[in-house]
CSV table of all heavy atoms in Angstrom, one decimal:
chain,number,residue,atom,x,y,z
W,290,HIS,N,7.0,98.5,73.4
W,290,HIS,CA,5.6,98.5,73.9
W,290,HIS,C,5.1,99.9,74.0
W,290,HIS,O,3.9,100.3,73.7
W,290,HIS,CB,5.6,97.9,75.3
W,290,HIS,CG,5.7,96.4,75.2
W,290,HIS,ND1,5.8,95.6,76.3
W,290,HIS,CD2,5.7,95.5,74.2
W,290,HIS,CE1,6.0,94.4,75.9
W,290,HIS,NE2,5.9,94.3,74.6
W,291,LEU,N,6.0,100.9,74.5
W,291,LEU,CA,5.5,102.3,74.6
W,291,LEU,C,5.2,102.9,73.3
W,291,LEU,O,4.2,103.6,73.1
W,291,LEU,CB,6.7,103.1,75.3
W,291,LEU,CG,6.4,104.5,75.7
W,291,LEU,CD1,5.1,104.5,76.7
W,291,LEU,CD2,7.5,105.2,76.3
W,292,LYS,N,6.0,102.6,72.3
W,292,LYS,CA,5.8,103.1,70.9
W,292,LYS,C,4.5,102.6,70.3
W,292,LYS,O,3.8,103.3,69.8
W,292,LYS,CB,7.0,102.7,70.1
W,292,LYS,CG,6.9,103.3,68.6
W,292,LYS,CD,8.2,103.0,67.9
W,292,LYS,CE,8.1,103.5,66.5
W,292,LYS,NZ,9.3,103.2,65.6
W,293,ALA,N,4.3,101.2,70.6
W,293,ALA,CA,3.1,100.7,70.0
W,293,ALA,C,1.8,101.3,70.7
W,293,ALA,O,0.7,101.5,70.1
W,293,ALA,CB,3.1,99.2,70.3
W,294,PHE,N,1.9,101.6,72.0
W,294,PHE,CA,0.8,102.1,72.8
W,294,PHE,C,0.4,103.5,72.2
W,294,PHE,O,-0.7,103.9,71.9
W,294,PHE,CB,1.2,102.3,74.2
W,294,PHE,CG,0.2,103.1,75.0
W,294,PHE,CD1,-1.1,102.6,75.3
W,294,PHE,CD2,0.4,104.4,75.3
W,294,PHE,CE1,-2.0,103.3,76.0
W,294,PHE,CE2,-0.5,105.1,76.0
W,294,PHE,CZ,-1.7,104.7,76.4
W,295,PHE,N,1.6,104.3,72.0
W,295,PHE,CA,1.3,105.7,71.3
W,295,PHE,C,0.7,105.6,69.9
W,295,PHE,O,-0.2,106.4,69.6
W,295,PHE,CB,2.5,106.5,71.4
W,295,PHE,CG,2.8,107.1,72.8
W,295,PHE,CD1,3.9,106.8,73.5
W,295,PHE,CD2,2.0,108.1,73.3
W,295,PHE,CE1,4.1,107.3,74.7
W,295,PHE,CE2,2.2,108.7,74.5
W,295,PHE,CZ,3.3,108.3,75.2
W,296,ILE,N,1.2,104.7,69.2
W,296,ILE,CA,0.7,104.5,67.8
W,296,ILE,C,-0.8,104.2,67.8
W,296,ILE,O,-1.6,104.7,67.1
W,296,ILE,CB,1.5,103.5,67.1
W,296,ILE,CG1,2.9,104.1,66.8
W,296,ILE,CG2,0.8,103.1,65.7
W,296,ILE,CD1,3.9,103.0,66.1
W,297,SER,N,-1.1,103.2,68.7
W,297,SER,CA,-2.5,102.8,68.8
W,297,SER,C,-3.4,103.9,69.3
W,297,SER,O,-4.6,104.1,68.8
W,297,SER,CB,-2.6,101.6,69.9
W,297,SER,OG,-1.9,100.5,69.4
W,298,LEU,N,-2.9,104.7,70.3
W,298,LEU,CA,-3.7,105.8,70.8
W,298,LEU,C,-4.0,106.9,69.6
W,298,LEU,O,-5.0,107.3,69.5
W,298,LEU,CB,-2.9,106.5,71.9
W,298,LEU,CG,-3.6,107.8,72.5
W,298,LEU,CD1,-5.0,107.4,73.1
W,298,LEU,CD2,-2.7,108.3,73.6
W,299,LEU,N,-2.9,107.1,68.9
W,299,LEU,CA,-3.1,108.0,67.7
W,299,LEU,C,-4.1,107.5,66.7
W,299,LEU,O,-4.9,108.3,66.2
W,299,LEU,CB,-1.7,108.3,67.1
W,299,LEU,CG,-0.8,109.2,67.9
W,299,LEU,CD1,0.6,109.2,67.3
W,299,LEU,CD2,-1.3,110.6,68.1
W,300,VAL,N,-4.0,106.3,66.4
W,300,VAL,CA,-4.9,105.6,65.4
W,300,VAL,C,-6.4,105.8,66.0
W,300,VAL,O,-7.3,106.2,65.2
W,300,VAL,CB,-4.5,104.2,65.1
W,300,VAL,CG1,-5.6,103.5,64.4
W,300,VAL,CG2,-3.2,104.2,64.4
W,301,PHE,N,-6.5,105.5,67.3
W,301,PHE,CA,-7.8,105.5,67.9
W,301,PHE,C,-8.5,106.9,67.8
W,301,PHE,O,-9.6,107.1,67.4
W,301,PHE,CB,-7.8,105.0,69.3
W,301,PHE,CG,-9.1,105.1,70.0
W,301,PHE,CD1,-10.1,104.2,69.8
W,301,PHE,CD2,-9.3,106.0,71.0
W,301,PHE,CE1,-11.3,104.3,70.4
W,301,PHE,CE2,-10.5,106.1,71.8
W,301,PHE,CZ,-11.5,105.2,71.4
W,302,LEU,N,-7.6,107.9,68.2
W,302,LEU,CA,-8.0,109.3,68.1
W,302,LEU,C,-8.4,109.7,66.7
W,302,LEU,O,-9.4,110.4,66.4
W,302,LEU,CB,-7.0,110.2,68.7
W,302,LEU,CG,-6.8,110.1,70.2
W,302,LEU,CD1,-5.6,110.9,70.7
W,302,LEU,CD2,-8.0,110.4,71.0
W,303,ALA,N,-7.6,109.2,65.7
W,303,ALA,CA,-7.8,109.6,64.3
W,303,ALA,C,-9.2,109.0,63.9
W,303,ALA,O,-9.9,109.6,63.1
W,303,ALA,CB,-6.7,109.1,63.5
W,304,LEU,N,-9.5,107.7,64.3
W,304,LEU,CA,-10.7,107.1,63.9
W,304,LEU,C,-11.9,107.8,64.5
W,304,LEU,O,-12.9,108.0,63.8
W,304,LEU,CB,-10.7,105.6,64.4
W,304,LEU,CG,-9.8,104.7,63.6
W,304,LEU,CD1,-9.7,103.2,64.3
W,304,LEU,CD2,-10.2,104.5,62.1
W,305,ILE,N,-11.8,108.2,65.8
W,305,ILE,CA,-12.8,109.0,66.4
W,305,ILE,C,-13.1,110.3,65.6
W,305,ILE,O,-14.2,110.6,65.3
W,305,ILE,CB,-12.5,109.3,67.8
W,305,ILE,CG1,-12.5,108.1,68.7
W,305,ILE,CG2,-13.5,110.2,68.4
W,305,ILE,CD1,-12.1,108.2,70.1
W,306,SER,N,-12.0,110.9,65.3
W,306,SER,CA,-12.1,112.2,64.6
W,306,SER,C,-12.7,112.0,63.2
W,306,SER,O,-13.6,112.7,62.8
W,306,SER,CB,-10.7,112.9,64.4
W,306,SER,OG,-10.8,114.0,63.7
W,307,ALA,N,-12.2,111.0,62.5
W,307,ALA,CA,-12.7,110.6,61.2
W,307,ALA,C,-14.2,110.3,61.2
W,307,ALA,O,-15.0,110.6,60.4
W,307,ALA,CB,-11.8,109.6,60.5
W,308,GLY,N,-14.5,109.4,62.2
W,308,GLY,CA,-15.9,109.0,62.4
W,308,GLY,C,-16.8,110.2,62.6
W,308,GLY,O,-17.9,110.2,62.1
W,309,GLY,N,-16.4,111.1,63.4
W,309,GLY,CA,-17.2,112.3,63.7
W,309,GLY,C,-17.4,113.1,62.4
W,309,GLY,O,-18.5,113.5,62.1
W,310,TYR,N,-16.4,113.3,61.7
W,310,TYR,CA,-16.4,114.1,60.4
W,310,TYR,C,-17.3,113.4,59.4
W,310,TYR,O,-18.3,114.0,58.9
W,310,TYR,CB,-15.1,114.2,59.9
W,310,TYR,CG,-15.0,114.9,58.5
W,310,TYR,CD1,-15.3,116.3,58.3
W,310,TYR,CD2,-14.8,114.1,57.3
W,310,TYR,CE1,-15.3,116.9,57.1
W,310,TYR,CE2,-14.8,114.7,56.1
W,310,TYR,CZ,-15.1,116.1,56.0
W,310,TYR,OH,-15.1,116.7,54.7
W,311,PHE,N,-17.0,112.1,59.2
W,311,PHE,CA,-17.8,111.4,58.1
W,311,PHE,C,-19.3,111.2,58.6
W,311,PHE,O,-20.2,111.2,57.8
W,311,PHE,CB,-17.2,110.0,57.8
W,311,PHE,CG,-15.9,110.2,57.0
W,311,PHE,CD1,-14.7,109.8,57.5
W,311,PHE,CD2,-16.0,110.7,55.6
W,311,PHE,CE1,-13.6,110.0,56.8
W,311,PHE,CE2,-14.8,110.8,54.9
W,311,PHE,CZ,-13.6,110.5,55.5
W,312,GLY,N,-19.4,111.0,59.9
W,312,GLY,CA,-20.8,110.9,60.4
W,312,GLY,C,-21.6,112.2,60.2
W,312,GLY,O,-22.8,112.1,59.8
W,313,TYR,N,-20.9,113.3,60.5
W,313,TYR,CA,-21.5,114.6,60.3
W,313,TYR,C,-22.0,114.8,58.8
W,313,TYR,O,-23.0,115.2,58.4
W,313,TYR,CB,-20.7,115.7,60.7
W,313,TYR,CG,-21.2,117.1,60.4
W,313,TYR,CD1,-22.1,117.7,61.2
W,313,TYR,CD2,-20.7,117.8,59.3
W,313,TYR,CE1,-22.6,118.9,60.9
W,313,TYR,CE2,-21.1,119.0,59.0
W,313,TYR,CZ,-22.1,119.6,59.8
W,313,TYR,OH,-22.6,120.9,59.5
W,314,GLN,N,-21.0,114.5,57.9
W,314,GLN,CA,-21.2,114.5,56.4
W,314,GLN,C,-22.4,113.6,56.0
W,314,GLN,O,-23.2,114.0,55.2
W,314,GLN,CB,-19.9,114.3,55.7
W,314,GLN,CG,-18.8,115.3,55.8
W,314,GLN,CD,-19.3,116.6,55.3
W,314,GLN,OE1,-19.9,116.7,54.3
W,314,GLN,NE2,-19.0,117.6,56.1
W,315,TYR,N,-22.4,112.5,56.7
W,315,TYR,CA,-23.5,111.5,56.2
W,315,TYR,C,-24.8,112.1,56.6
W,315,TYR,O,-25.8,112.0,55.8
W,315,TYR,CB,-23.2,110.2,57.0
W,315,TYR,CG,-24.3,109.1,56.7
W,315,TYR,CD1,-24.2,108.4,55.5
W,315,TYR,CD2,-25.3,108.8,57.6
W,315,TYR,CE1,-25.1,107.4,55.2
W,315,TYR,CE2,-26.2,107.8,57.3
W,315,TYR,CZ,-26.1,107.1,56.2
W,315,TYR,OH,-27.0,106.1,55.8
W,316,VAL,N,-25.0,112.6,57.8
W,316,VAL,CA,-26.2,113.2,58.3
W,316,VAL,C,-26.7,114.4,57.4
W,316,VAL,O,-27.8,114.5,56.9
W,316,VAL,CB,-26.1,113.7,59.7
W,316,VAL,CG1,-27.4,114.5,60.2
W,316,VAL,CG2,-26.0,112.5,60.6
W,317,GLN,N,-25.7,115.2,57.1
W,317,GLN,CA,-26.0,116.4,56.2
W,317,GLN,C,-26.4,115.9,54.8
W,317,GLN,O,-27.3,116.5,54.3
W,317,GLN,CB,-24.7,117.2,56.2
W,317,GLN,CG,-24.3,118.1,57.4
W,317,GLN,CD,-25.4,119.0,57.7
W,317,GLN,OE1,-26.2,118.9,58.6
W,317,GLN,NE2,-25.5,120.1,57.0
W,318,SER,N,-25.8,115.0,54.3
W,318,SER,CA,-26.2,114.4,52.9
W,318,SER,C,-27.5,113.9,53.0
W,318,SER,O,-28.3,114.0,52.1
W,318,SER,CB,-25.2,113.3,52.6
W,318,SER,OG,-25.6,112.7,51.4
W,319,SER,N,-27.9,113.2,54.1
W,319,SER,CA,-29.2,112.6,54.3
W,319,SER,C,-30.4,113.6,54.3
W,319,SER,O,-31.5,113.3,54.0
W,319,SER,CB,-29.3,111.7,55.5
W,319,SER,OG,-28.4,110.7,55.5
W,320,LEU,N,-30.0,114.9,54.6
W,320,LEU,CA,-31.1,115.9,54.7
W,320,LEU,C,-31.3,116.6,53.4
W,320,LEU,O,-32.2,117.4,53.2
W,320,LEU,CB,-30.6,117.0,55.8
W,320,LEU,CG,-30.5,116.4,57.2
W,320,LEU,CD1,-30.0,117.6,58.1
W,320,LEU,CD2,-31.9,115.9,57.7
W,321,LEU,N,-30.3,116.3,52.4
W,321,LEU,CA,-30.5,116.9,51.1
W,321,LEU,C,-31.5,116.1,50.2
W,321,LEU,O,-31.9,115.1,50.5
W,321,LEU,CB,-29.1,116.9,50.4
W,321,LEU,CG,-28.0,117.7,51.0
W,321,LEU,CD1,-26.7,117.5,50.3
W,321,LEU,CD2,-28.4,119.2,51.0
W,322,PRO,N,-32.0,116.8,49.1
W,322,PRO,CA,-33.0,116.1,48.2
W,322,PRO,C,-32.5,114.8,47.7
W,322,PRO,O,-31.3,114.6,47.5
W,322,PRO,CB,-33.1,117.1,47.1
W,322,PRO,CG,-32.7,118.4,47.7
W,322,PRO,CD,-31.6,118.1,48.6
W,323,VAL,N,-33.4,113.9,47.6
W,323,VAL,CA,-33.1,112.5,47.0
W,323,VAL,C,-32.7,112.7,45.6
W,323,VAL,O,-31.7,112.1,45.1
W,323,VAL,CB,-34.3,111.6,47.0
W,323,VAL,CG1,-34.1,110.3,46.2
W,323,VAL,CG2,-34.8,111.3,48.4
W,324,ASP,N,-33.2,113.7,44.8
W,324,ASP,CA,-32.9,113.9,43.4
W,324,ASP,C,-33.2,115.4,43.1
W,324,ASP,O,-34.4,115.7,42.9
W,324,ASP,CB,-33.6,113.0,42.5
W,324,ASP,CG,-33.3,113.2,41.0
W,324,ASP,OD1,-32.5,114.1,40.7
W,324,ASP,OD2,-33.7,112.4,40.1
W,325,ALA,N,-32.2,116.2,43.2
W,325,ALA,CA,-32.4,117.7,43.0
W,325,ALA,C,-33.0,118.1,41.7
W,325,ALA,O,-33.7,119.1,41.6
W,325,ALA,CB,-31.1,118.4,43.3
W,326,ASN,N,-32.9,117.2,40.7
W,326,ASN,CA,-33.4,117.6,39.3
W,326,ASN,C,-34.8,117.0,39.1
W,326,ASN,O,-35.3,117.2,37.9
W,326,ASN,CB,-32.4,117.1,38.3
W,326,ASN,CG,-31.1,117.8,38.4
W,326,ASN,OD1,-31.0,119.0,38.6
W,326,ASN,ND2,-30.0,117.1,38.3
W,327,SER,N,-35.3,116.2,39.9
W,327,SER,CA,-36.6,115.5,39.7
W,327,SER,C,-37.8,116.5,39.7
W,327,SER,O,-37.8,117.4,40.6
W,327,SER,CB,-36.8,114.5,40.8
W,327,SER,OG,-38.1,113.8,40.6
W,328,LYS,N,-38.7,116.3,38.8
W,328,LYS,CA,-39.9,117.2,38.7
W,328,LYS,C,-41.1,116.3,39.1
W,328,LYS,O,-42.2,116.8,39.1
W,328,LYS,CB,-40.1,117.8,37.3
W,328,LYS,CG,-38.9,118.7,36.9
W,328,LYS,CD,-39.2,119.3,35.6
W,328,LYS,CE,-38.1,120.3,35.1
W,328,LYS,NZ,-38.4,120.9,33.9
W,329,GLU,N,-40.8,115.1,39.4
W,329,GLU,CA,-42.0,114.1,39.7
W,329,GLU,C,-42.6,114.4,41.0
W,329,GLU,O,-41.9,114.8,42.0
W,329,GLU,CB,-41.3,112.7,39.7
W,329,GLU,CG,-42.4,111.7,40.2
W,329,GLU,CD,-41.7,110.3,40.4
W,329,GLU,OE1,-40.4,110.2,40.2
W,329,GLU,OE2,-42.4,109.3,40.8
W,330,TYR,N,-43.9,114.2,41.1
W,330,TYR,CA,-44.6,114.4,42.3
W,330,TYR,C,-45.0,113.0,42.9
W,330,TYR,O,-45.3,112.2,42.2
W,330,TYR,CB,-45.9,115.3,42.2
W,330,TYR,CG,-45.7,116.7,42.1
W,330,TYR,CD1,-45.5,117.4,41.0
W,330,TYR,CD2,-45.7,117.5,43.3
W,330,TYR,CE1,-45.3,118.7,40.9
W,330,TYR,CE2,-45.6,118.8,43.2
W,330,TYR,CZ,-45.3,119.5,42.0
W,330,TYR,OH,-45.1,120.9,42.1
W,331,VAL,N,-44.9,112.9,44.2
W,331,VAL,CA,-45.2,111.7,44.9
W,331,VAL,C,-46.3,112.0,45.9
W,331,VAL,O,-46.2,112.8,46.7
W,331,VAL,CB,-44.0,111.0,45.6
W,331,VAL,CG1,-44.5,109.8,46.3
W,331,VAL,CG2,-42.9,110.8,44.6
W,332,THR,N,-47.4,111.3,45.8
W,332,THR,CA,-48.6,111.5,46.8
W,332,THR,C,-48.4,110.6,47.9
W,332,THR,O,-48.2,109.4,47.9
W,332,THR,CB,-49.9,111.1,46.1
W,332,THR,OG1,-50.2,111.9,44.9
W,332,THR,CG2,-51.1,111.3,47.1
W,333,VAL,N,-48.2,111.3,49.1
W,333,VAL,CA,-47.9,110.6,50.4
W,333,VAL,C,-49.1,110.9,51.4
W,333,VAL,O,-49.5,112.0,51.5
W,333,VAL,CB,-46.6,111.2,51.0
W,333,VAL,CG1,-46.3,110.5,52.3
W,333,VAL,CG2,-45.5,111.0,50.0
W,334,GLN,N,-49.5,109.8,52.0
W,334,GLN,CA,-50.5,110.0,53.1
W,334,GLN,C,-49.9,109.8,54.5
W,334,GLN,O,-49.2,108.8,54.7
W,334,GLN,CB,-51.6,108.9,52.9
W,334,GLN,CG,-52.7,109.1,54.0
W,334,GLN,CD,-53.7,108.0,54.1
W,334,GLN,OE1,-53.4,106.9,53.5
W,334,GLN,NE2,-54.8,108.2,54.7
W,335,ILE,N,-50.1,110.8,55.3
W,335,ILE,CA,-49.7,110.7,56.7
W,335,ILE,C,-50.9,110.5,57.6
W,335,ILE,O,-51.7,111.3,57.6
W,335,ILE,CB,-48.9,112.0,57.2
W,335,ILE,CG1,-47.8,112.3,56.2
W,335,ILE,CG2,-48.5,111.9,58.6
W,335,ILE,CD1,-46.7,111.3,56.2
W,336,PRO,N,-51.0,109.2,58.1
W,336,PRO,CA,-52.3,108.9,58.9
W,336,PRO,C,-52.4,109.8,60.1
W,336,PRO,O,-51.3,110.3,60.7
W,336,PRO,CB,-52.1,107.5,59.2
W,336,PRO,CG,-51.1,106.9,58.2
W,336,PRO,CD,-50.1,108.1,58.0
W,337,GLU,N,-53.6,110.0,60.6
W,337,GLU,CA,-53.9,110.7,61.9
W,337,GLU,C,-53.1,110.0,63.0
W,337,GLU,O,-53.2,108.7,63.1
W,337,GLU,CB,-55.3,110.8,62.1
W,337,GLU,CG,-55.7,111.8,63.2
W,337,GLU,CD,-55.6,113.2,62.6
W,337,GLU,OE1,-55.9,113.5,61.4
W,337,GLU,OE2,-55.1,114.1,63.4
């Protein structure tokens, strides 16, 4: 039981760590251009 507890704790901490890393990477990726090579213009209206 003690061994199982420590294994579960390590896995949980790893998931938290991995989640934070991948979450950060996901956000950073979302801030990058949709298509860095695109030359197309899109007309966008932002209402008052």
Side-chain angles (χ1 to χ4, degrees):
H290 286 171
L291 189 60
K292 183 178 181 182
F294 171 76
F295 278 114
I296 291 174
S297 298
L298 179 61
L299 290 172
V300 170
F301 177 71
L302 293 174
L304 287 173
I305 293 176
S306 176
Y310 172 76
F311 287 113
Y313 174 79
Q314 291 299 315
Y315 181 78
V316 170
Q317 288 296 105
S318 174
S319 298
L320 300 176
L321 296 176
V323 172
D324 182 356
N326 297 318
S327 175
K328 296 181 180 180
E329 175 189 0
Y330 279 91
V331 179
T332 300
V333 179
Q334 182 190 15
I335 305 299
E337 197 72 42

